[in-house]
Amino acid sequence: MNTRAALRTPDVIRQAREHLSRGQLPMDLLDASIGRSWQRCLEHGLSPGIRLDLPRLDSRELRLQCEQHRHLIELADPLVSQMTEDLRGCQLLLATPAATILKSYGRNFVLDERLRIGAGINLDERWFGTNAPALALIERAPVLVKSCEHLLFPDNPVSCVAAPLFDLSGDCLGLIDLTFEANHPRPEIFLRRVQQLTGALEQRLFLHHYQQRWVLQVHASLAELDSVSCGLVAINDAGLILAVDTQATQWLGQLPASLVGRSIEELLGSPWPTFQQQCEGQSELLGLELTGGRLFGRLNPPEQWQPAEVVRIPSPPPVTTPVGRQLDDLIASWPTPLVREAHRAARALSAGLPVLLQGETGTGKEQLAQALHASLRGQRPFVALNCAALPESLIEAELFGYGDGAFTGARKGGYGGRLVQANGGTLLLDEIGDMPLALQARLLRVLQERVVTPLGDHREVPIDCRVIAASHRDLEALVAAGDFREDLFYRLAGVVVELPTLDEQADLAGRIRERWNSLCHRHGRDTILDESLVERLAAYPWPGNWRELEHCLEAALVGTETQCHRLTLEGLSPRWQRKLQASVTGNPTAAPKATEELTGGPQVLRELEHNHMVRTLEAHGGNMTAAARALGISRSTLYRRLG
């Protein structure tokens, strides 16, 4: 359940502690991750004022831990030491995946007369209560814990940020913590710094692992090509993609499973020997013409890492598919009224009107946004920002950019921001319903005035981009609840397209066969999907929509032995066998058939259903959102069925 973002101020946390002293845990006053941490601490028997007895390693045990995590220390020590020099007055900690501190850098903070944070201490929540290192490991994400949010230290003199470090397999190697004075006015700056540090370390891991391979760096901005936000693609001598990192999947707009094993020629549209000849003996900068816009790249030969002049790679041959075919293919199985709305959205976007995409998770909102963008004529940039994937403190800088020296840790020369990057093209604001209210006001002003002022800069930069917003949340309901600005909603909702769920689309069995054939082509397989299995797949309700279906099919294909030429139900994992068998046992299509015999057929059923929906809507005073919730269906489904 999504809730309004908590105000993380000392006054609000003080109120939360007052509730806690009366035996109440006020989750609505706390940041979600902090609230979960406080709850776990209380379950462990911890409360403010308790006397701590922290586990601490002796010198021999600490040496053993350092030896066990020698790879982590060797990797991180140079960059952590460098950051310590840059951030004088801060303390940095390098810790194990079990939250045991291996090394401490810089200043040594003392929380009280008994407690000095240093090497050998274990910061597990069970002993230390709410703290950034423990929370980052539990959440598997960068976190900020403000001074007063440390449950056991109401008057804590420090705040801290921490981020986990993952290896190429996604396993946690350890974490970096940065502790600083509690009264710092911009704590989110430190969160950005620790994210940059872990990003740089993960890049080093990637480059070290693939130093004997070709590595392609990609980014939408030439200036950012050497930053931690650039993507990395490892390629073997035959031109096959071996691995991609998280940033590369973002810039290329595809999941790792759809990229690994493919030829780089498919992705970039030029012969692999051409790349090899141009980059022989040194790194080369490339201008890459990809679907949806232009990217910059640097191709590095094995063990060669030096910049060079920009080389223009020829564009792929012209695509003969008519404009709009990608959109038509995507919406082919939609209900007719929604097909009309999708085409209306394409025309509106072409005319400069904003488009809002509403749909449940996994229904393909980003794919539809890309298809709408592709329906525009000409090569234009397509830039996406997921408002739910970034911490609140980073969205503003990512969206609007910042000037040179805007804050400690800002990139030299500043950063243009996503709005500027999308100039002349299309900006997708994904999960717009999760954008903080304060930023909604600024975004509204930018959309109205068509100029953006970067943080720490007085220049007004004119912008001209088409805007597509998307959300799985009901924005009209958020407006009614006061969680989304009404004026921004009407600014974004030029044309609203409500994406159908998977079970609302026609000929699902046919679409399953299409997806299966596409996956077989991608993975070089000729396995046939058994028709009885297709029927079971088509009967399953797919609560995760296209995303769940795609993962199910691809996992089934890659997990099947290569000599298997026909996949049946027995070839799936036990979990999916249970799920698909249950969907047939409780097949929702069976109940209506039995009911039709008693009620006079499908027409009578539709009338009963319609009357029930009308009565429910009347009972809720005409509130479509409340009626849909009571009926257990989406608001868009209620609209369609009421006609």
Side-chain angles (χ1 to χ4, degrees):
M1 176 180 177
N2 291 296
T3 58
R4 184 181 304 181
L7 292 174
R8 304 177 69 176
T9 64
D11 287 341
V12 171
I13 304 303
R14 194 175 298 113
Q15 293 177 40
R17 289 184 178 276
E18 290 173 359
H19 282 279
L20 191 62
S21 66
R22 297 193 293 269
Q24 303 169 343
L25 181 58
M27 299 292 284
D28 58 325
L29 295 178
L30 299 169
D31 175 79
S33 62
I34 299 296
R36 291 191 292 269
S37 177
W38 281 27
Q39 187 169 37
R40 288 191 298 269
C41 291
L42 295 175
E43 291 170 356
H44 292 318
L46 302 179
S47 59
I50 192 172
R51 184 176 180 83
L52 292 180
D53 184 18
L54 290 181
R56 182 188 295 268
L57 304 180
D58 60 31
S59 57
R60 186 186 67 83
E61 292 171 328
L62 180 58
R63 282 197 302 273
L64 290 175
Q65 281 289 308
C66 289
E67 180 60 29
Q68 183 179 343
H69 296 89
R70 181 166 53 87
H71 177 55
L72 170 64
I73 295 174
E74 291 175 350
L75 173 73
D77 191 74
L79 291 184
V80 177
S81 298
Q82 180 181 335
M83 181 172 284
T84 304
E85 290 295 317
D86 295 339
L87 300 176
R88 297 184 183 276
C90 297
Q91 182 176 12
L92 282 91
L93 304 174
L94 181 62
T96 72
T100 297
I101 301 174
L102 295 172
K103 293 191 70 173
S104 174
Y105 305 77
R107 180 175 176 179
N108 286 317
F109 283 104
V110 180
L111 300 188
D112 60 33
E113 67 279 1
R114 299 177 292 104
L115 188 56
R116 184 183 299 272
I117 303 299
I121 287 181
N122 184 271
L123 299 177
D124 190 291
E125 270 188 350
R126 293 171 295 178
W127 329 118
F128 197 76
T130 302
N131 67 92
L135 194 53
L137 292 173
I138 292 171
E139 299 284 336
R140 290 180 63 84
V143 297
L144 162 67
V145 178
K146 294 188 174 182
S147 57
C148 48
E149 292 175 331
H150 291 78
L151 178 64
L152 305 187
F153 302 94
D155 301 314
N156 198 337
V158 299
S159 296
C160 54
V161 295
L165 174 65
F166 298 106
D167 63 16
L168 300 183
S169 301
D171 296 325
C172 183
L173 281 177
L175 65 91
I176 308 291
D177 172 272
L178 199 163
T179 301
F180 51 94
E181 295 280 2
N183 58 2
H184 195 282
R186 297 287 300 276
E188 64 275 6
I189 292 172
F190 295 107
L191 184 63
R192 176 71 172 174
R193 290 302 298 270
V194 81
Q195 285 180 291
Q196 289 174 337
L197 179 57
T198 53
L201 292 173
E202 288 175 357
Q203 278 192 354
R204 286 193 170 199
L205 281 170
F206 191 99
L207 296 177
H208 177 75
H209 186 79
Y210 292 106
Q211 62 182 338
Q212 301 298 327
R213 302 294 187 178
W214 297 76
V215 174
L216 175 69
Q217 299 165 260
V218 292
H219 201 286
S221 168
L222 181 59
E224 301 295 319
L225 202 53
D226 289 316
S227 72
V228 296
S229 62
C230 88
L232 300 176
V233 181
I235 309 159
N236 67 11
D237 288 334
L240 297 179
I241 298 174
L242 300 176
V244 292
D245 72 352
T246 304
Q247 296 292 344
T249 62
Q250 173 186 329
W251 294 119
L252 298 175
Q254 299 186 50
L255 295 172
S258 66
L259 290 169
V260 174
R262 289 174 58 187
S263 170
I264 196 69
E265 294 181 3
E266 293 181 44
L267 188 65
L268 304 181
S270 293
W272 174 238
T274 302
F275 283 85
Q276 291 177 302
Q277 291 170 7
Q278 288 176 324
C279 305
E280 186 177 0
Q282 64 176 359
S283 302
E284 291 282 358
L285 289 175
L286 313 170
L288 308 174
E289 300 291 347
L290 297 176
T291 301
R294 176 182 173 85
L295 291 178
F296 293 96
R298 177 181 289 124
L299 182 60
N300 304 282
E303 298 189 278
Q304 297 289 329
W305 310 103
Q306 36 185 317
E309 296 180 356
V310 174
V311 176
R312 177 70 181 227
I313 292 296
S315 300
V319 179
T320 57
T321 306
V323 174
R325 176 65 184 275
Q326 182 179 349
L327 177 62
D328 289 338
D329 286 346
L330 191 64
I331 63 178
S333 60
W334 285 21
T336 302
L338 295 185
V339 170
R340 288 197 297 267
E341 282 307 296
H343 285 299
R344 191 195 310 274
R347 293 190 293 270
L349 190 67
S350 179
L353 289 175
V355 172
L356 174 62
L357 308 180
Q358 294 263 223
E360 296 178 11
T361 299
T363 49
K365 294 184 289 296
E366 184 170 354
Q367 286 78 6
L368 178 58
Q370 292 175 343
L372 291 171
H373 168 76
S375 70
L376 304 173
R377 295 184 181 277
Q379 291 288 334
R380 305 165 186 261
F382 177 84
V383 178
L385 175 68
N386 190 321
C387 301
L390 289 173
E392 179 179 337
S393 56
L394 297 183
I395 296 177
E396 186 174 18
E398 285 292 332
L399 186 58
F400 304 113
Y402 53 80
D404 190 8
F407 49 81
T408 303
R411 297 189 184 105
K412 186 173 180 60
Y415 171 63
R418 302 296 176 90
L419 278 162
V420 173
Q421 290 174 3
N423 212 7
T426 305
L427 174 68
L428 169 62
L429 296 172
D430 202 5
E431 300 303 349
I432 186 70
D434 293 286
M435 176 174 281
L437 279 168
L439 292 189
Q440 291 178 25
R442 186 170 179 197
L443 174 62
L444 175 64
R445 190 164 58 251
V446 169
L447 296 179
Q448 289 173 335
E449 299 173 2
R450 294 286 176 173
V451 294
V452 61
T453 304
L455 297 174
D457 199 334
H458 300 295
R459 295 176 300 113
E460 290 188 342
V461 181
I463 58 168
D464 178 21
C465 66
R466 292 165 173 80
V467 175
I468 302 175
S471 180
H472 73 282
R473 306 176 69 182
D474 187 333
L475 293 192
E476 287 187 271
L478 293 181
V479 169
D483 292 332
F484 197 85
R485 291 183 65 102
E486 184 176 23
D487 45 7
L488 178 58
F489 172 76
Y490 289 117
R491 170 65 63 172
L492 296 172
V495 172
V496 180
V497 181
E498 295 176 326
L499 282 75
T501 57
L502 207 55
D503 60 359
E504 294 173 314
Q505 303 198 28
D507 190 21
L508 181 55
R511 298 306 298 269
I512 289 172
R513 294 187 194 96
E514 289 177 10
R515 293 305 305 140
W516 180 259
N517 292 335
S518 175
L519 289 169
C520 286
H521 177 73
R522 181 191 303 168
H523 291 282
R525 303 285 293 272
D526 59 355
T527 307
I528 298 171
L529 201 59
D530 189 80
E531 278 304 308
S532 63
L533 179 54
V534 172
E535 293 176 6
R536 287 181 181 269
L537 291 168
Y540 183 68
W542 299 109
N545 294 295
W546 284 109
R547 185 177 297 122
E548 184 184 19
L549 173 60
E550 180 85 12
H551 288 172
C552 172
L553 293 177
E554 188 156 19
L557 179 61
V558 300
T560 302
E561 297 177 354
T562 54
Q563 61 267 31
C564 174
H565 295 295
R566 179 180 295 274
L567 181 66
T568 63
L569 178 66
E570 290 70 26
L572 299 183
S573 67
R575 172 176 174 267
W576 273 110
Q577 289 185 43
R578 289 195 304 271
K579 289 163 77 76
L580 295 180
Q581 286 170 341
S583 72
V584 172
T585 304
N587 192 345
T589 63
K593 288 179 181 177
T595 309
E596 287 172 16
E597 298 175 1
L598 300 175
T599 58
Q603 182 61 38
V604 176
L605 275 179
R606 282 192 289 271
E607 291 177 3
L608 289 172
E609 179 188 66
H610 183 274
N611 293 338
H612 177 56
M613 289 181 174
V614 170
R615 287 195 299 271
T616 304
L617 183 60
E618 291 173 349
H620 288 84
N623 187 317
M624 296 290 286
T625 301
R629 188 179 298 115
L631 290 165
I633 59 178
S634 68
R635 190 169 60 88
S636 58
T637 301
L638 179 59
Y639 271 120
R640 284 193 295 277
R641 292 184 182 174
L642 287 177

